[in-house]
Amino acid sequence: MTSSAAPARLARVLAGRALQAVGVAVLVSGLCFLVVQRLPGDIAYRIAAGRYGYDLVDEQAVAGVRSELGLDQPAWQQLLHWLGDLVRLDFGRSLVTHQPVLSEVGYFLTGTLQLAAVALLLAVAIGAALGTAAARRPGGVVDRLTDLWVAGVRALPAFLLGLLLIVVLSVHLRWLPSAGQGGSTTIILPALTLALGLSGLFARVTRDAVVEVRRSDYVRFARTKGLGGRLVLLRHVVRNAAVVLVPYIGVQAVIIIEGVVVVEALFSWQGLGHALVHAVFWRDIPVLQASALVLALLVVAVNTLADLTVLWLDPRPRGQEALR
Amino acid sequence: MTVVMVVGLASGCGATRADDRGGDTLRVVGPFEIHSLEPTATSGFFTRLEVAETLVTADLEGNLAPGLASDWSPSQGGRTWTFELVPDVTFHDGTPLTPEAAVDSLETVRRDEASPLAAAPIEQIAATDTGLRFELSEPNLTLPAVLTHYSTMILAPAAYDDDDHVSELIGTGPYRIDRIELPASIEVTRFDDWRGTPPEIEKVSFQSVSRAESRALMATSDDADVVWHLEPAGRQKVEASDGVSMASTLQPRTIMLKVNNDHPILGDPDVRRALSMALDREAMAEAVLREPELAATQLMPPSLTTWSQPDLAPLEHDADGARQLLESAGWEADDDGVLTKDGEALRLNLLTYPDRPELPALATAIQASAKEVGIEIDVEVTNSSEIPVRHADDTLELALVARHFALVSDPLVTVAETFAPAGSEWGVQNWSDPQLTAAVDQLLTGPSEDRAEELRATIVTIAQEQLPLVPVAWYRMNAAVQDRVEGFVFDPLETSWHFSQVRWAS
């Protein structure tokens, strides 16, 4: 943030987002609870299967689970109980693993954030490079090739793209591990899978933004002023294009966070997608609510961050809304 | 958890790689996740990895063998059992294994309804000077076998938190925990104060990878030394690559149809027999399991040598015979070719679950086989816990399940539960036979070996004639093992993975 940003405006953005966060938290918790209650099947049996494996699920084991977790209470009591705990920031323990929910969700969140961050960096790098190159000569060869790239990676589902990458980079070239989560190289393939899919869109948006900015009056003025081509690109074109790009990156980050489920499953990456799927499967209500809550708040946080970045980047007089 | 970001590609390893890609760590990959440190919820993970031990264990043939107890003996006709502990055993935290510590572990798990020990008729477990004494409310000869179950692992007092949950896994085995990241990865290191021969492999890492395709890739691209449970396509891939080969063993697990024998249609033994005759088991086993020999000819797989009855007339595929049976039972085809009786169509619902990937495929094969003889089956693939739920409320018609007959090393315990007259979640439903029940009860009193053999034959024969459970296929476990691993043994009961016996190929 620069000191020239009007504090009032900053406060307004933050207050609005904070309110949004609280609303989202209550809504998501309630919805999760309702969904689990409406799902078919007996919750206690599901939890017992998650805990013990199905070979050991019998009536006695289930009765034990039911009495231990108070699943025979009416649903509204269980929901009030959870909301009360939420206000005290007590997320309780997983019904299946008996680990504190906070540490469990924190662990999965770390996994997802790492994956999303690396993927986003890669996507922006690949996309911005391609887009800027394409924008140098709109309609030229590079521009056409970029179009082809955009269409190609968008059309491939992440699942297929991931398998292709595994076959090429891990089975044939033997450069990277094909799955799992361990050494420093295991993140590359899943992140690359996500990044390639996104890079096409980034390339598209970057290209359009750069083309538009280059045609604008202030760039022409800067050129007239006698600044070199590279400086113009950096100081004016990139910065102005970034104003359009940042909110867009924000939206994409949200999509990544929600879209990791498939990639996490494919590469056995331990993240929130994994946690959500299992929590639904086992009816592990505390973990489900906490994971969904974290995902929802993550969306709010990313949007807030994008707002603040635009505030800071936008060279136009503060107080006008940035392009959306 | 820290992950070093490396953007760019690992350099220096092209298509030719050194054999020691895993270094001195045995890298193990499997589909199972570790959900919890609670002994009942570990699925045998820590006993298989040889981190924790039970009082009694089982050898590769399934015979009882000393674990933390050197010997055991019954008195009062099996109402009291005394176990002597192996002397001078140390837990991984350096504390000694005392009779009190062993009693505490067992008392804790006995309160957990999911442990088979909770069902044993135990009145009291007392510490003696050198071991433990179990006082039972009735004679019971299967107690040592129940004490082979992984949930009865003995952990150090420091392993438990204030409310008796396991917070840290401190066992006595040849390997101690280095790092655990639930649910997917574990690293263990050789325990230097282990009382036996020190293992040659210093470190073992386990990683959970749920997708079978990914596991097959890891096996063929040398990302793992031992990979459990590959599907047919992955097996072929491994067999075609160098430096890695498949190992397998029959497991005492039977894939079978659980039948509600009170059902208006299935209550008739002739309908059950017709359904059984309709099944082309060999074709199914070949198509789905890629191994026609896995077609079940009876309930007990041949790997359970004491139980399997080689002289029993096998279950065979006979579609014409099935149609005749149904006809003589009063089922007639209507205009659409659907069999009906008293205005009721021969339609059944079959429940199964996807935890074992072959089950849904087999269910659809059963559906097709049954259709050939005029039996309509609707397949419903759902969560495994639906089966005990519908068993409890009696709405189940048919379910395709995979039943492990040696959850504890003596199959008798599981057989007794499977044929319990009151029914069992993963066994019979609304069916009992006085002769079979009497045979099970007699076996539990520990008759002479000749008599026991007769009784076992009686049980298996009655099950084959009445078909309260319709056997479909047996089960084979497999693993891909890298050539750099020597001395890998496959334990059909999965009591242990025996990594402490494994060596690096020189």
Side-chain angles (χ1 to χ4, degrees), chain A residues 99-119:
Chain A
Q99 299 293 311
V101 168
L102 217 49
S103 70
E104 203 158 291
V105 172
Y107 168 71
F108 289 122
L109 173 67
T110 313
T112 292
L113 284 183
Q114 280 174 336
L115 189 57
V118 176

Side-chain angles (χ1 to χ4, degrees), chain A residues 114 118 175-177 180-191 269, chain B residues 2-11:
Chain A
Q114 280 174 336
V118 176
W175 283 350
L176 292 167
Q181 195 170 2
S184 50
T185 51
T186 45
I187 197 169
I188 298 175
L189 272 186
W269 186 266
Chain B
T2 56
V3 169
V4 184
M5 304 287 185
V6 178
V7 180
L9 297 171
S11 58

Side-chain angles (χ1 to χ4, degrees), chain A residues 41 45-46 50-51 54 57 59 97-98 107 166 171 174-175 178 181 188 265-266 268 270 274 278 282, chain B residues 4-6 9 17 33 35 41 165 181 184 207 209 211 214 217 220 223 253 356 383 386 389 425-426:
Chain A
Y45 274 94
R46 283 288 175 111
R51 276 190 192 183
Y54 49 85
V57 176
E59 221 166 329
T97 67
H98 201 74
Y107 168 71
I166 291 177
V171 177
R174 301 206 157 186
W175 283 350
S178 53
Q181 195 170 2
I188 298 175
L266 181 63
S268 299
Q270 303 291 323
H274 178 281
H278 279 62
W282 297 335
Chain B
V4 184
M5 304 287 185
V6 178
L9 297 171
R17 271 186 314 194
E33 291 193 332
H35 302 155
H165 286 293
E181 239 177 59
Q207 164 110 49
V209 174
R211 300 188 51 81
S214 303
L217 286 169
T220 50
D223 286 329
R253 196 183 268 280
R356 294 182 177 274
N383 185 282
E386 269 313 288
V389 169
E425 281 82 356
W426 302 98

Side-chain angles (χ1 to χ4, degrees), chain B residues 297-315:
Chain B
T297 56
Q298 55 178 286
L299 187 63
M300 293 297 182
S303 53
L304 290 175
T305 42
T306 52
W307 280 89
S308 174
Q309 304 293 329
D311 304 336
L312 198 65
L315 298 170

Side-chain angles (χ1 to χ4, degrees), chain B residues 17-37:
Chain B
R17 271 186 314 194
D19 273 347
D20 57 352
R21 193 166 168 202
D24 60 353
T25 302
L26 186 77
R27 301 156 303 159
V28 185
V29 166
F32 4 81
E33 291 193 332
I34 315 102
H35 302 155
S36 154
L37 299 182

